[in-house]
């Protein structure tokens, strides 16, 4: 691996990391000490793309990545998201198991992948690839994205409303207090009789 700074052929690997379909290596030139990054990728069999007009050309990952980047301009996507997206699309194409894939199939895979990560980028790409005939087709495509989201939001709102108690509902009955019953003092019924007997005895004396 030639050093991009001085062209020296000898370098050492300071860090290596597998990212799935490729291996990322940090290298340091043995001559000038410059550090640079290289990527190792498995060389697959040639994948051919059949164009709509019948032309055929070799699959170009960089060309695919460039088209995706145009659709995602100024979108808040995390660093490296588009490179991972291109890798995933290439893996999807190779899973088909054919040496030749129609361009229409490639476009649909890209559209579905973009729809999952960013709806705006999805609409941008779909508007060019599917070539909407008029404004109505464009609006219908946007509504197809918004409808599932609105339905889910309405369901969540209804669920939250059921948790709010109605103002007209009867207040809950107070719970009975548990414990010993209060003692009640009753008047002594024998006291008057005893008083009368004592008085009678005094009178007889």
């Amino acid at each position: 691996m030639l050093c991009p700074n001085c062209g020296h052929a000898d370098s050492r690997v300071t860090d290596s990391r597998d990212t799935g379909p490729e291996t990322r290596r940090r290298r340091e030139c043995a001559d000038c000490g410059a550090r640079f990054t290289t990527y190792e990728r498995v060389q697959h069999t040639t994948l051919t793309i059949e164009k709509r007009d019948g032309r055929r050309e070799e699959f170009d990952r960089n060309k695919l990545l460039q088209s995706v980047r145009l659709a995602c301009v100024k979108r808040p996507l995390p660093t490296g998201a588009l490179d991972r997206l291109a890798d995933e699309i290439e893996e999807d194409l190779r899973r088909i198991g054919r040496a030749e894939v129609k361009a229409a199939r490639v476009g649909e895979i890209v559209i579905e992948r973009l729809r999952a990560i960013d709806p705006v980028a999805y609409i941008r790409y779909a508007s060019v690839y599917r070539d909407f005939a008029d404004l109505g087709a464009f609006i219908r495509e946007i509504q197809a994205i918004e409808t599932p989201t609105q339905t889910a939001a309405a369901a969540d709102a209804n669920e939250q409303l059921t948790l709010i108690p109605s103002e007209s509902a009867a207040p809950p009955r107070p719970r009975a207090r548990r414990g010993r019953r209060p003692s009640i003092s009753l008047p002594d019924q024998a006291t008057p009789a005893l008083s009368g007997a004592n008085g009678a005895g005094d009178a007889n004396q």
Side-chain angles (χ1 to χ4, degrees):
M1 183 63 63
L2 299 179
C3 172
N5 185 50
C6 67
H8 191 68
D10 188 14
S11 63
R12 67 184 185 90
V13 177
T14 60
D15 181 64
S16 181
R17 182 176 303 176
D18 292 331
T19 60
E22 62 187 12
T23 301
R24 174 182 178 273
R25 300 189 191 278
R26 288 290 294 169
R27 296 177 179 270
E28 182 177 348
C29 178
D31 186 31
C32 67
R35 295 186 178 184
F36 55 98
T37 303
T38 60
Y39 294 89
E40 295 181 8
R41 182 185 298 271
V42 177
Q43 182 65 42
H44 296 281
T45 56
T46 302
L47 181 62
T48 303
I49 305 300
E50 180 184 352
K51 298 292 186 177
R52 295 181 179 180
D53 58 3
R55 294 183 297 110
R56 289 170 173 79
E57 65 180 33
E58 185 177 345
F59 172 76
D60 188 345
R61 180 182 180 277
N62 292 329
K63 185 176 180 180
L64 169 67
L65 185 58
Q66 181 62 25
S67 66
V68 172
R69 282 176 176 166
L70 290 175
C72 297
V73 171
K74 296 183 179 181
R75 297 304 302 159
L77 297 176
T79 303
L82 297 185
D83 286 318
R84 290 193 297 272
L85 178 65
D87 291 338
E88 292 171 356
I89 293 172
E90 184 176 357
E91 289 178 7
D92 290 342
L93 294 175
R94 296 193 181 280
R95 286 196 193 99
I96 296 176
R98 298 179 182 177
E100 186 173 292
V101 181
K102 293 184 179 296
R105 179 58 176 159
V106 178
E108 292 301 324
I109 292 176
V110 175
I111 286 175
E112 291 303 317
R113 287 287 184 177
L114 285 175
R115 184 173 187 173
I117 66 173
D118 190 279
V120 174
Y122 157 72
I123 288 295
R124 288 175 179 173
Y125 192 93
S127 64
V128 175
Y129 179 77
R130 291 178 176 171
D131 191 17
F132 295 145
D134 51 26
L135 182 61
F138 191 87
I139 293 175
R140 286 191 295 272
E141 192 70 26
I142 296 176
Q143 290 175 341
I145 300 177
E146 293 181 342
T147 300
T149 304
Q150 293 174 350
T151 302
D156 291 341
N158 291 334
E159 183 177 355
Q160 291 176 1
L161 288 176
T162 58
L163 299 177
I164 301 176
S166 175
E167 295 181 356
S168 59
R173 297 178 60 184
R175 297 177 59 183
R177 298 179 60 185
R178 295 182 179 181
R180 299 177 60 185
R181 295 183 178 179
S183 58
I184 301 176
S185 300
L186 297 177
D188 191 355
Q189 300 296 331
T191 303
L194 293 174
S195 301
N198 293 336
D202 295 340
N204 293 330
Q205 293 177 355

mmCIF file of all heavy atoms in Angstrom, residues 167-195:
data_model
loop_
_atom_site.group_PDB
_atom_site.id
_atom_site.type_symbol
_atom_site.label_atom_id
_atom_site.label_comp_id
_atom_site.label_asym_id
_atom_site.label_seq_id
_atom_site.Cartn_x
_atom_site.Cartn_y
_atom_site.Cartn_z
ATOM 1 N N GLU A 167 -65.923 13.855 34.294
ATOM 2 C CA GLU A 167 -66.264 14.766 35.379
ATOM 3 C C GLU A 167 -67.617 14.434 35.993
ATOM 4 O O GLU A 167 -67.880 14.744 37.157
ATOM 5 C CB GLU A 167 -66.275 16.202 34.836
ATOM 6 C CG GLU A 167 -64.894 16.677 34.380
ATOM 7 C CD GLU A 167 -64.941 18.095 33.875
ATOM 8 O OE1 GLU A 167 -66.070 18.642 33.826
ATOM 9 O OE2 GLU A 167 -63.889 18.654 33.533
ATOM 10 N N SER A 168 -68.508 13.804 35.190
ATOM 11 C CA SER A 168 -69.841 13.496 35.694
ATOM 12 C C SER A 168 -69.889 12.181 36.457
ATOM 13 O O SER A 168 -70.948 11.785 36.944
ATOM 14 C CB SER A 168 -70.836 13.431 34.522
ATOM 15 O OG SER A 168 -70.421 12.430 33.599
ATOM 16 N N ALA A 169 -68.798 11.497 36.524
ATOM 17 C CA ALA A 169 -68.800 10.208 37.219
ATOM 18 C C ALA A 169 -68.988 10.436 38.715
ATOM 19 O O ALA A 169 -68.534 11.425 39.276
ATOM 20 C CB ALA A 169 -67.486 9.470 36.960
ATOM 21 N N ALA A 170 -69.703 9.499 39.347
ATOM 22 C CA ALA A 170 -69.974 9.625 40.783
ATOM 23 C C ALA A 170 -68.685 9.493 41.567
ATOM 24 O O ALA A 170 -67.823 8.684 41.213
ATOM 25 C CB ALA A 170 -70.967 8.537 41.214
ATOM 26 N N PRO A 171 -68.537 10.294 42.641
ATOM 27 C CA PRO A 171 -67.307 10.190 43.434
ATOM 28 C C PRO A 171 -67.249 8.839 44.142
ATOM 29 O O PRO A 171 -68.260 8.241 44.467
ATOM 30 C CB PRO A 171 -67.443 11.342 44.436
ATOM 31 C CG PRO A 171 -68.914 11.589 44.539
ATOM 32 C CD PRO A 171 -69.472 11.290 43.189
ATOM 33 N N PRO A 172 -66.085 8.362 44.381
ATOM 34 C CA PRO A 172 -65.956 7.047 45.034
ATOM 35 C C PRO A 172 -66.468 7.101 46.472
ATOM 36 O O PRO A 172 -66.349 8.109 47.165
ATOM 37 C CB PRO A 172 -64.440 6.790 44.973
ATOM 38 C CG PRO A 172 -63.831 8.142 44.869
ATOM 39 C CD PRO A 172 -64.798 8.967 44.073
ATOM 40 N N ARG A 173 -67.104 6.010 46.927
ATOM 41 C CA ARG A 173 -67.613 5.920 48.294
ATOM 42 C C ARG A 173 -66.449 5.808 49.256
ATOM 43 O O ARG A 173 -65.482 5.102 49.012
ATOM 44 C CB ARG A 173 -68.521 4.688 48.416
ATOM 45 C CG ARG A 173 -69.765 4.764 47.540
ATOM 46 C CD ARG A 173 -70.574 3.499 47.685
ATOM 47 N NE ARG A 173 -70.988 3.303 49.060
ATOM 48 C CZ ARG A 173 -71.660 2.225 49.504
ATOM 49 N NH1 ARG A 173 -71.938 1.256 48.646
ATOM 50 N NH2 ARG A 173 -72.009 2.127 50.765
ATOM 51 N N PRO A 174 -66.545 6.519 50.385
ATOM 52 C CA PRO A 174 -65.439 6.437 51.358
ATOM 53 C C PRO A 174 -65.349 5.043 51.952
ATOM 54 O O PRO A 174 -66.359 4.383 52.211
ATOM 55 C CB PRO A 174 -65.819 7.477 52.412
ATOM 56 C CG PRO A 174 -67.302 7.619 52.297
ATOM 57 C CD PRO A 174 -67.623 7.417 50.847
ATOM 58 N N ARG A 175 -64.186 4.605 52.197
ATOM 59 C CA ARG A 175 -63.971 3.285 52.760
ATOM 60 C C ARG A 175 -64.233 3.307 54.261
ATOM 61 O O ARG A 175 -63.911 4.265 54.951
ATOM 62 C CB ARG A 175 -62.539 2.828 52.492
ATOM 63 C CG ARG A 175 -62.205 2.682 51.013
ATOM 64 C CD ARG A 175 -60.754 2.312 50.825
ATOM 65 N NE ARG A 175 -60.457 1.054 51.513
ATOM 66 C CZ ARG A 175 -59.242 0.524 51.571
ATOM 67 N NH1 ARG A 175 -58.231 1.148 51.019
ATOM 68 N NH2 ARG A 175 -59.047 -0.622 52.209
ATOM 69 N N ALA A 176 -64.856 2.254 54.740
ATOM 70 C CA ALA A 176 -65.155 2.157 56.179
ATOM 71 C C ALA A 176 -63.876 1.995 56.959
ATOM 72 O O ALA A 176 -62.966 1.271 56.554
ATOM 73 C CB ALA A 176 -66.088 0.970 56.440
ATOM 74 N N ARG A 177 -63.835 2.693 58.089
ATOM 75 C CA ARG A 177 -62.648 2.606 58.934
ATOM 76 C C ARG A 177 -62.719 1.353 59.798
ATOM 77 O O ARG A 177 -63.748 1.022 60.380
ATOM 78 C CB ARG A 177 -62.555 3.843 59.832
ATOM 79 C CG ARG A 177 -62.403 5.144 59.048
ATOM 80 C CD ARG A 177 -62.347 6.332 59.989
ATOM 81 N NE ARG A 177 -61.203 6.189 60.907
ATOM 82 C CZ ARG A 177 -60.976 7.035 61.907
ATOM 83 N NH1 ARG A 177 -61.800 8.044 62.127
ATOM 84 N NH2 ARG A 177 -59.918 6.851 62.683
ATOM 85 N N ARG A 178 -61.629 0.690 59.854
ATOM 86 C CA ARG A 178 -61.547 -0.535 60.633
ATOM 87 C C ARG A 178 -60.923 -0.253 61.991
ATOM 88 O O ARG A 178 -60.080 0.620 62.133
ATOM 89 C CB ARG A 178 -60.725 -1.582 59.883
ATOM 90 C CG ARG A 178 -61.376 -2.032 58.573
ATOM 91 C CD ARG A 178 -60.539 -3.099 57.918
ATOM 92 N NE ARG A 178 -61.162 -3.568 56.681
ATOM 93 C CZ ARG A 178 -60.648 -4.512 55.918
ATOM 94 N NH1 ARG A 178 -59.528 -5.104 56.284
ATOM 95 N NH2 ARG A 178 -61.274 -4.877 54.815
ATOM 96 N N GLY A 179 -61.384 -0.993 63.017
ATOM 97 C CA GLY A 179 -60.834 -0.821 64.363
ATOM 98 C C GLY A 179 -61.854 -1.241 65.409
ATOM 99 O O GLY A 179 -62.933 -1.763 65.102
ATOM 100 N N ARG A 180 -61.599 -0.961 66.654
ATOM 101 C CA ARG A 180 -62.517 -1.325 67.733
ATOM 102 C C ARG A 180 -63.696 -0.384 67.752
ATOM 103 O O ARG A 180 -63.586 0.810 67.482
ATOM 104 C CB ARG A 180 -61.783 -1.265 69.070
ATOM 105 C CG ARG A 180 -60.600 -2.237 69.157
ATOM 106 C CD ARG A 180 -59.884 -2.061 70.467
ATOM 107 N NE ARG A 180 -60.804 -2.325 71.582
ATOM 108 C CZ ARG A 180 -60.477 -2.154 72.862
ATOM 109 N NH1 ARG A 180 -59.283 -1.690 73.175
ATOM 110 N NH2 ARG A 180 -61.352 -2.423 73.823
ATOM 111 N N ARG A 181 -64.850 -0.932 68.054
ATOM 112 C CA ARG A 181 -66.047 -0.111 68.150
ATOM 113 C C ARG A 181 -65.967 0.808 69.363
ATOM 114 O O ARG A 181 -65.456 0.418 70.408
ATOM 115 C CB ARG A 181 -67.296 -1.001 68.278
ATOM 116 C CG ARG A 181 -67.560 -1.845 67.031
ATOM 117 C CD ARG A 181 -68.828 -2.637 67.204
ATOM 118 N NE ARG A 181 -69.122 -3.420 66.002
ATOM 119 C CZ ARG A 181 -70.171 -4.213 65.892
ATOM 120 N NH1 ARG A 181 -71.038 -4.324 66.922
ATOM 121 N NH2 ARG A 181 -70.380 -4.873 64.772
ATOM 122 N N PRO A 182 -66.472 2.046 69.262
ATOM 123 C CA PRO A 182 -66.410 2.959 70.419
ATOM 124 C C PRO A 182 -67.313 2.459 71.538
ATOM 125 O O PRO A 182 -68.417 1.967 71.312
ATOM 126 C CB PRO A 182 -66.915 4.283 69.836
ATOM 127 C CG PRO A 182 -67.727 3.896 68.673
ATOM 128 C CD PRO A 182 -67.097 2.672 68.095
ATOM 129 N N SER A 183 -66.836 2.585 72.789
ATOM 130 C CA SER A 183 -67.637 2.164 73.958
ATOM 131 C C SER A 183 -68.683 3.218 74.284
ATOM 132 O O SER A 183 -68.431 4.413 74.192
ATOM 133 C CB SER A 183 -66.713 1.958 75.161
ATOM 134 O OG SER A 183 -66.006 3.148 75.440
ATOM 135 N N ILE A 184 -69.907 2.775 74.661
ATOM 136 C CA ILE A 184 -71.035 3.673 74.978
ATOM 137 C C ILE A 184 -71.387 3.488 76.450
ATOM 138 O O ILE A 184 -71.644 2.372 76.909
ATOM 139 C CB ILE A 184 -72.258 3.350 74.095
ATOM 140 C CG1 ILE A 184 -71.870 3.498 72.614
ATOM 141 C CG2 ILE A 184 -73.418 4.258 74.450
ATOM 142 C CD1 ILE A 184 -72.978 3.118 71.673
ATOM 143 N N SER A 185 -71.400 4.582 77.222
ATOM 144 C CA SER A 185 -71.728 4.519 78.659
ATOM 145 C C SER A 185 -73.237 4.592 78.839
ATOM 146 O O SER A 185 -73.880 5.542 78.372
ATOM 147 C CB SER A 185 -71.061 5.679 79.409
ATOM 148 O OG SER A 185 -69.647 5.594 79.252
ATOM 149 N N LEU A 186 -73.836 3.610 79.490
ATOM 150 C CA LEU A 186 -75.271 3.571 79.741
ATOM 151 C C LEU A 186 -75.537 4.010 81.178
ATOM 152 O O LEU A 186 -74.750 3.723 82.093
ATOM 153 C CB LEU A 186 -75.805 2.140 79.526
ATOM 154 C CG LEU A 186 -75.662 1.581 78.099
ATOM 155 C CD1 LEU A 186 -76.151 0.142 78.054
ATOM 156 C CD2 LEU A 186 -76.446 2.440 77.121
ATOM 157 N N PRO A 187 -76.640 4.726 81.445
ATOM 158 C CA PRO A 187 -76.971 5.140 82.827
ATOM 159 C C PRO A 187 -77.263 3.932 83.720
ATOM 160 O O PRO A 187 -77.810 2.931 83.253
ATOM 161 C CB PRO A 187 -78.214 6.011 82.641
ATOM 162 C CG PRO A 187 -78.781 5.587 81.343
ATOM 163 C CD PRO A 187 -77.639 5.199 80.462
ATOM 164 N N ASP A 188 -76.890 4.057 85.013
ATOM 165 C CA ASP A 188 -77.081 2.954 85.968
ATOM 166 C C ASP A 188 -78.538 2.900 86.397
ATOM 167 O O ASP A 188 -79.048 3.824 87.050
ATOM 168 C CB ASP A 188 -76.183 3.171 87.185
ATOM 169 C CG ASP A 188 -76.132 1.944 88.079
ATOM 170 O OD1 ASP A 188 -76.879 0.985 87.780
ATOM 171 O OD2 ASP A 188 -75.339 1.961 89.024
ATOM 172 N N GLN A 189 -79.291 1.866 85.982
ATOM 173 C CA GLN A 189 -80.714 1.769 86.286
ATOM 174 C C GLN A 189 -80.988 1.382 87.736
ATOM 175 O O GLN A 189 -82.067 1.576 88.267
ATOM 176 C CB GLN A 189 -81.349 0.702 85.353
ATOM 177 C CG GLN A 189 -81.201 1.026 83.872
ATOM 178 C CD GLN A 189 -81.942 2.298 83.500
ATOM 179 O OE1 GLN A 189 -82.960 2.634 84.130
ATOM 180 N NE2 GLN A 189 -81.441 3.013 82.518
ATOM 181 N N ALA A 190 -80.001 0.814 88.442
ATOM 182 C CA ALA A 190 -80.261 0.371 89.826
ATOM 183 C C ALA A 190 -80.129 1.482 90.842
ATOM 184 O O ALA A 190 -80.556 1.359 91.971
ATOM 185 C CB ALA A 190 -79.301 -0.761 90.201
ATOM 186 N N THR A 191 -79.564 2.618 90.456
ATOM 187 C CA THR A 191 -79.334 3.695 91.424
ATOM 188 C C THR A 191 -80.598 4.264 92.018
ATOM 189 O O THR A 191 -80.718 4.416 93.229
ATOM 190 C CB THR A 191 -78.506 4.807 90.788
ATOM 191 O OG1 THR A 191 -77.287 4.246 90.308
ATOM 192 C CG2 THR A 191 -78.245 5.926 91.759
ATOM 193 N N PRO A 192 -81.708 4.604 91.270
ATOM 194 C CA PRO A 192 -82.925 5.140 91.903
ATOM 195 C C PRO A 192 -83.549 4.178 92.888
ATOM 196 O O PRO A 192 -84.070 4.583 93.919
ATOM 197 C CB PRO A 192 -83.834 5.399 90.702
ATOM 198 C CG PRO A 192 -82.917 5.520 89.518
ATOM 199 C CD PRO A 192 -81.802 4.604 89.797
ATOM 200 N N ALA A 193 -83.533 2.918 92.592
ATOM 201 C CA ALA A 193 -84.173 1.950 93.514
ATOM 202 C C ALA A 193 -83.460 1.914 94.848
ATOM 203 O O ALA A 193 -84.085 1.861 95.904
ATOM 204 C CB ALA A 193 -84.170 0.553 92.876
ATOM 205 N N LEU A 194 -82.164 1.974 94.780
ATOM 206 C CA LEU A 194 -81.433 1.954 96.037
ATOM 207 C C LEU A 194 -81.682 3.214 96.837
ATOM 208 O O LEU A 194 -81.791 3.197 98.052
ATOM 209 C CB LEU A 194 -79.917 1.781 95.766
ATOM 210 C CG LEU A 194 -79.496 0.423 95.173
ATOM 211 C CD1 LEU A 194 -78.028 0.434 94.821
ATOM 212 C CD2 LEU A 194 -79.822 -0.691 96.163
ATOM 213 N N SER A 195 -81.823 4.355 96.135
ATOM 214 C CA SER A 195 -82.091 5.614 96.850
ATOM 215 C C SER A 195 -83.435 5.564 97.549
ATOM 216 O O SER A 195 -83.610 6.024 98.671
ATOM 217 C CB SER A 195 -82.055 6.777 95.851
ATOM 218 O OG SER A 195 -80.786 6.836 95.230
#
